[in-house]
Structure formats: C-alpha cells, structure tokens
C-alpha cells in the first residue's frame, strides 16, 4: 500500500509539473492580418503565372518529346527578360539551371528550386479549363497553380525585381527546375551531379514541400508555416500468390486470391511497422502545441511525460499521426484472372510503402516478407529509395529561414515538418546539410487539397506576398 501511495504521489507531482508547463506555453490569440501587397503586384502575378500555366508541361522523361518544355522556356524568357539577360543558364535535357553571380564567389551558394512539370489534367469538373490560368474571385486556377509553378513564379519574379533594383547578392544564387519531379525522374539528380562535378557545396537549398497552411493539422487555431526537413522513403512491392487456378464452380480452400486478401488484411489490421518519435517530430509537436486547446497543449507540450499515450493514440486519431511515426503501407493495385469464373493462378497486389527514417526500405521489406512467408506469397521490389537525411534544425541557415518567415508572416506559427511525399530536394542532401522544403505561399485547406486534383488554385495576393518574401530573404542573407 505504501508503494502505491508513493507512486500516486510521484504521478501527482509529474502531472503538476506538466500543468504548470502547459500554463506557461505562450498561446497568443490568433492575429487578424491582411498582407500589404499592391494591386500592381497582384496583376503581374496573375498575368505571369497565368501565362506559365497555359503551357501544359506534363511530366516527361529525358528521352521523350520535350517540345512543350522548350516552348515553356521561351515563355519564361518573355516573362522574365532581365533574369535571362543577366543570369547564366544551363539546360540539362530540359531541366533548367540558372546561376546569378554574387559579390563573393568564394562563399557557399544558395539554391532556390522547384519544378516545371505538372501532373495531367482534363477539364472535367473544373470551374474553368484546367490549363486556362484564369482568375476567379481573386484565385488563379490551373494545373500547376500550386504544384509547382507558383513556387517557380515567386522565385523568378523576386530575382527579376531585384535585378531591376540593381541588387547584387552576397554569394552566388542558383535556381533549378526539373521536368520530371512528379514521376521521380532524373532531372534534379542531373543538376545535382552537374554542381557536384564542379566542386560546389551549397549553404542552403529551398524547395517546395512546406508552405503557409491555414490548418496544417486538424484542431489548430491559426495558420502555420511548416518547413520540410526530411521526406519519407518510397517503395513499391508486387506481392504474388501462386497456385493451380481452375474453374470457379469447384473452388478449393485457401485459393491464391484468398491468401493475398488474408495477407493484406493482416497488414492493415496489425500495422506491424515500428513506431518512433524522432527528436525532430517531438520538436514539431512542441512547436505546434500553442495552436491547440488546453488538453492538446498539455499532451503536445509535455511529450516527456505523455509520449506512450501520444504514440498509442495518434495513429487512431489521424492517418498523419501514424505516418510521422512509422512506415506506412497502402495496397493500391491488384490483378486476378481474366474472367469472372476462373480461379487466378498468380494473382498479385501492389503495395506502396512510405518508409520511415528509422525503419528504411530493407527493414520495412523484412517486415512485409515475414507476413508474406506466413501466407505462402512472394515479393518483388519494383522500386525503392530510402528516406532522405534529416536537415539540421539547429543550424544558422535554418534559424535565418525561420526569422524571415516570422517577420514576413506575423500571424502564423512555425514548425519543422516531415514530408510524406517526395520532392526533388532529396537529391541535394549530397551538397548541403540544409535542404529545406518551404514555399512562402499561403493556402487554405481547399487549396492544399487541390494539388493533383480538380480546381487547383492559388490566391493572387499570396503570390505577391511570396515574391516579397524572397526579395527580403535574398537581401538580408549574410553568408
């Protein structure tokens, strides 16, 4: 009984400490803020990004017809004449690489990047035609409006305006835009190799991936700038069941398809991958804590105490909660027999895994293989790449990015972030420890969900605000 009282006393003390810490977490009221951008800047943004969208640059591999991309390059020359007059341009099988010479070429350069390509779109369901670049109620619509021609626009326009002002950056600035980011192609990797072969190390890379999002996580009371510091790995697996097949009128037990379904059900039900809260994920939750109500602040602001509870509950509450802590597996494709009355001899499933930093492709495959062996299945790896390294959130460069965001967007919170999808930025970890994914473009939840979907759109004022961000960012940077 004494031991129980002691344990209850310790628990009471710990909970008291947590309550005091939570009360001290600064949770200022959300600020009502309207960006100060001119009508002229908004009109320029609408005109230029609209023109960029009207050239449909659907992803291509380097050996396909790239005429649309070269047409897009010509359009960029028209839209950004000073940039193309002053900057050195290299074209690598359609991928664009620009160099803006700085005052001190011995300093490590900065790389700003994005990608030219977009996913395909038809006009079905769209408010306006998918490649029209039209503005409706202050929002510019079109495939690529957010992913990723808006990022291209705010970077290119910032450089164009700084050149008009006679500004010279303190170090070299590179701009890079690939033609096949959406398909995981080699464009950005080729640009990285080009820089590496020249012996160039980068101080900082800024790519798409994070943004200023109205509600980055359900329950938040303010917008947040999320800065991607790593991205999960990627693996496609083909899981096949082997059997005799036959007529479906006299089916045996445990048919190949049934074994496949049993395997998939077990993976779905057990979620067998290792859950882990990386220090950077703990930092993300801690930074987001002020945006939540008191109970959530209590948990997220005191992970030292509530870690087991958080790890148990987050996967139940949100798919995002599971994805930041573990490898995920989603069954996306399947094939059986060619007829409804034939038992398939070799049906298969395709599983798409997004592998975690702490349990990479090899380790995640071993988990899948264990269950495949149990059900008599074989696994073929179709594609794989491990998670990217985690960028240093304690570096001077990261701190500078944060300070620029804080001063330019006074109404938001800021947190590091794990990118669930893939970006070209992952290739440049070979050249820097500061490979960050952040585009200074505001988006609401509908806009965030419109990427790769119907009615992709961006607010015109957000584009003008993004241009001003990069101008201040480049002016204030001290290598």
């Amino acid at each position: 009984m004494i031991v129980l009282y002691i344990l209850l006393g310790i628990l009471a003390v710990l909970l008291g400490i947590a309550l005091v810490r939570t009360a001290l977490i600064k949770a200022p009221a959300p600020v009502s803020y309207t960006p100060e951008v001119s009508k002229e800047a908004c009109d320029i943004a609408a005109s230029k990004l609209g023109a960029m969208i009207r050239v449909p640059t659907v992803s291509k591999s380097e050996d396909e017809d790239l005429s649309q991309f070269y047409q897009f390059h010509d359009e960029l020359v028209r839209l950004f004449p000073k940039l193309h007059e002053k900057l050195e341009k290299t074209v690598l099988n359609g991928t664009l690489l620009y160099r803006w010479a700085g005052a001190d070429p011995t300093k490590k350069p900065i790389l700003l990047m994005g990608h030219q390509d977009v996913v395909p779109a038809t006009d079905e369901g769209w408010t306006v035609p998918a490649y029209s670049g039209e503005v409706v109620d202050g929002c510019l619509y079109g495939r690529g409006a957010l992913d990723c021609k808006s990022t291209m626009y705010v970077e290119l326009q910032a450089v164009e305006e700084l050149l008009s002002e006679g500004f010279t950056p303190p170090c070299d600035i590179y701009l890079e835009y690939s033609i096949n980011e959406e398909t995981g192609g080699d464009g950005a990797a080729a640009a990285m190799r080009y820089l590496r072969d020249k012996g160039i190390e980068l101080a900082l890379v800024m790519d798409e991936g994070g943004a200023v999002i109205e509600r980055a996580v359900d329950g938040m009371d303010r917008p947040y700038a999320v800065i991607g510091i790593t991205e999960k790995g990627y693996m496609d697996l083909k899981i096949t069941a082997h059997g005799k097949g036959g007529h479906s009128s006299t089916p045996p037990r445990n048919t190949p398809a049934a074994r496949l379904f049993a395997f998939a059900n077990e993976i779905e039900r057990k979620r067998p991958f290792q859950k882990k809260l990386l220090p950077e994920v703990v930092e993300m939750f801690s930074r987001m804590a002020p945006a939540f109500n008191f109970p959530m602040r209590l948990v997220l602001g005191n992970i030292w105490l509530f870690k087991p509870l958080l790890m148990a509950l987050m996967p139940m509450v949100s798919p995002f909660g599971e994805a930041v802590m573990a490898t995920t597996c989603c069954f996306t494709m399947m094939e059986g027999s060619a007829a409804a009355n034939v038992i398939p001899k070799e049906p298969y499933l395709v599983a798409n895994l997004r592998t975690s930093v702490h349990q990479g492709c090899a380790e995640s495959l071993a988990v899948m293989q264990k269950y495949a062996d149990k059900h008599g299945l074989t696994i073929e790896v179709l594609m794989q790449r491990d998670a990217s390294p985690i960028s240093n959130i304690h570096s001077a460069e990261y701190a500078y990015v944060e300070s620029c965001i804080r001063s330019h967007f006074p109404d938001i919170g800021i947190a590091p972030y794990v990118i669930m999808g893939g970006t070209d930025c992952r290739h440049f970890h070979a050249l820097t420890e500061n490979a960050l994914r952040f585009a200074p473009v505001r988006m609401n939840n509908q806009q965030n969900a419109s990427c790769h979907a119907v009615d992709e759109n961006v607010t015109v004022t957000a584009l003008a605000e993004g241009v001003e961000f990069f101008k201040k960012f480049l002016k204030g940077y001290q290598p």
Side-chain angles (χ1 to χ4, degrees):
M1 185 63 73
I2 294 176
V3 173
L4 177 61
Y5 286 145
I6 291 174
L7 291 175
L8 289 174
I10 293 172
L11 180 60
V13 170
L14 292 176
L15 185 57
I17 293 172
L19 288 168
V20 171
R21 284 170 53 90
T22 304
L24 293 175
I25 293 175
K26 294 182 180 179
V31 177
S32 177
Y33 174 74
T34 302
E36 296 181 2
V37 293
S38 68
K39 182 180 183 302
E40 179 186 12
C42 292
D43 290 344
I44 291 171
S47 174
K48 290 191 176 184
L49 182 56
M52 292 166 68
I53 287 170
R54 283 189 284 276
V55 184
T57 49
V58 177
S59 295
K60 300 282 187 181
S61 62
E62 290 83 352
D63 57 355
E64 293 184 281
D65 178 13
L66 302 182
S67 57
Q68 285 289 86
F69 285 92
Y70 291 121
Q71 180 185 338
F72 184 63
H73 296 180
D74 292 341
E75 188 69 353
L76 294 180
V77 173
R78 183 184 72 82
L79 295 172
F80 307 102
K82 287 185 172 59
L83 182 150
H84 285 87
E85 176 188 346
K86 299 292 186 181
L87 271 60
E88 173 189 322
K89 181 173 79 170
T90 302
V91 182
L92 305 167
N93 291 323
T95 291
L96 288 170
L97 183 65
Y98 298 94
R99 174 180 170 268
W100 186 6
D104 187 349
T106 66
K107 300 291 186 181
K108 285 186 178 181
I110 288 176
L111 173 67
L112 305 181
M113 59 183 295
H115 57 89
Q116 305 169 60
D117 59 312
V118 299
V119 297
T122 65
D123 292 341
E124 185 178 355
W126 282 70
T127 298
V128 299
Y131 295 102
S132 65
E134 290 185 31
V135 176
V136 179
D137 296 330
C139 294
L140 190 152
Y141 285 75
R143 178 59 80 232
L146 278 176
D147 188 12
C148 171
K149 288 180 178 177
S150 58
T151 301
M152 283 192 71
Y153 169 74
V154 296
E155 293 172 352
L156 295 171
Q157 182 64 19
V159 172
E160 184 79 3
E161 292 184 16
L162 288 174
L163 287 168
S164 297
E165 296 171 12
F167 174 74
T168 300
C171 61
D172 286 357
I173 307 295
Y174 284 91
L175 308 172
E176 186 274 334
Y177 307 104
S178 78
I179 63 169
N180 45 28
E181 187 271 353
E182 297 291 2
T183 54
D186 191 54
M192 182 279 292
R193 293 191 296 268
Y194 177 88
L195 295 176
R196 183 192 61 195
D197 292 346
K198 289 181 172 293
I200 293 171
E201 294 182 12
L202 300 169
L204 173 66
V205 173
M206 289 271 279
D207 192 10
E208 59 149 354
V212 181
I213 303 176
E214 180 185 44
R215 296 290 183 269
V217 178
D218 289 344
M220 285 183 157
D221 66 1
R222 72 203 67 195
Y224 254 70
V226 289
I227 306 171
I229 56 171
T230 183
E231 56 192 63
K232 297 185 75 174
Y234 183 104
M235 184 160 57
D236 288 330
L237 302 178
K238 180 180 178 181
I239 304 105
T240 305
H242 304 271
K244 293 183 179 180
H247 200 286
S248 63
S249 61
T250 54
R253 293 185 181 275
N254 205 27
T255 62
R259 300 204 312 275
L260 268 183
F261 299 148
F263 163 81
N265 180 63
E266 191 166 13
I267 295 293
E268 280 272 313
R269 183 167 43 85
K270 290 187 175 179
R271 306 297 225 227
F273 301 101
Q274 180 189 9
K275 296 177 180 64
K276 184 176 182 180
L277 277 176
L278 298 171
E280 291 79 9
V281 174
V282 172
E283 181 73 12
M284 177 186 74
F285 284 135
S286 299
R287 295 283 197 94
M288 290 180 172
F292 289 96
N293 57 25
F294 190 86
M296 284 295 292
R297 284 208 307 275
L298 176 64
V299 175
L300 296 180
N302 296 279
I303 294 178
W304 59 276
L305 178 60
F306 294 108
K307 182 177 178 180
L309 178 65
L310 188 68
M311 293 183 70
L313 293 182
M314 281 296 286
M316 301 179 191
V317 173
S318 164
F320 170 81
E322 180 178 17
V324 296
M325 291 192 289
T327 292
T328 58
C329 173
C330 183
F331 296 100
T332 56
M333 301 172 68
M334 61 192 307
E335 184 172 298
S337 67
N341 61 349
V342 174
I343 298 172
K345 289 179 61 178
E346 293 188 342
Y348 69 82
L349 292 170
V350 172
N352 175 243
L353 280 68
R354 303 301 172 109
T355 58
S356 61
V357 173
H358 61 273
Q359 192 170 29
C361 288
E363 296 87 350
S364 297
L365 175 60
V367 172
M368 295 289 283
Q369 190 68 59
K370 172 185 172 183
Y371 288 89
D373 291 344
K374 174 182 175 181
H375 294 280
L377 311 175
T378 60
I379 294 182
E380 176 188 355
V381 178
L382 303 178
M383 178 180 177
Q384 64 177 322
R385 66 167 184 264
D386 275 319
S388 68
I390 300 175
S391 292
N392 184 2
I393 63 174
H394 304 293
S395 70
E397 288 78 9
Y398 185 89
Y400 178 67
V401 172
E402 270 204 343
S403 69
C404 290
I405 296 171
R406 190 172 292 109
S407 64
H408 195 69
F409 300 98
D411 58 322
I412 69 174
I414 307 171
Y417 187 68
V418 177
I419 301 292
M420 304 304 166
T423 72
D424 276 341
C425 191
R426 69 181 181 275
H427 298 292
F428 291 92
H429 280 276
L431 303 182
T432 182
E433 69 168 358
N434 300 297
L436 305 179
R437 293 106 171 138
F438 175 73
V441 177
R442 291 179 184 267
M443 60 182 78
N444 59 36
N445 288 353
Q446 180 278 322
Q447 290 169 329
N448 189 27
S450 74
C451 291
H452 292 203
V454 169
D455 275 352
E456 183 177 351
N457 74 95
V458 62
T459 309
V460 174
T461 55
L463 297 170
E465 195 179 14
V467 172
E468 287 303 311
F469 172 89
F470 270 123
K471 288 176 68 176
K472 292 177 182 178
F473 175 85
L474 292 172
K475 282 182 175 180
Y477 180 71
Q478 296 296 322

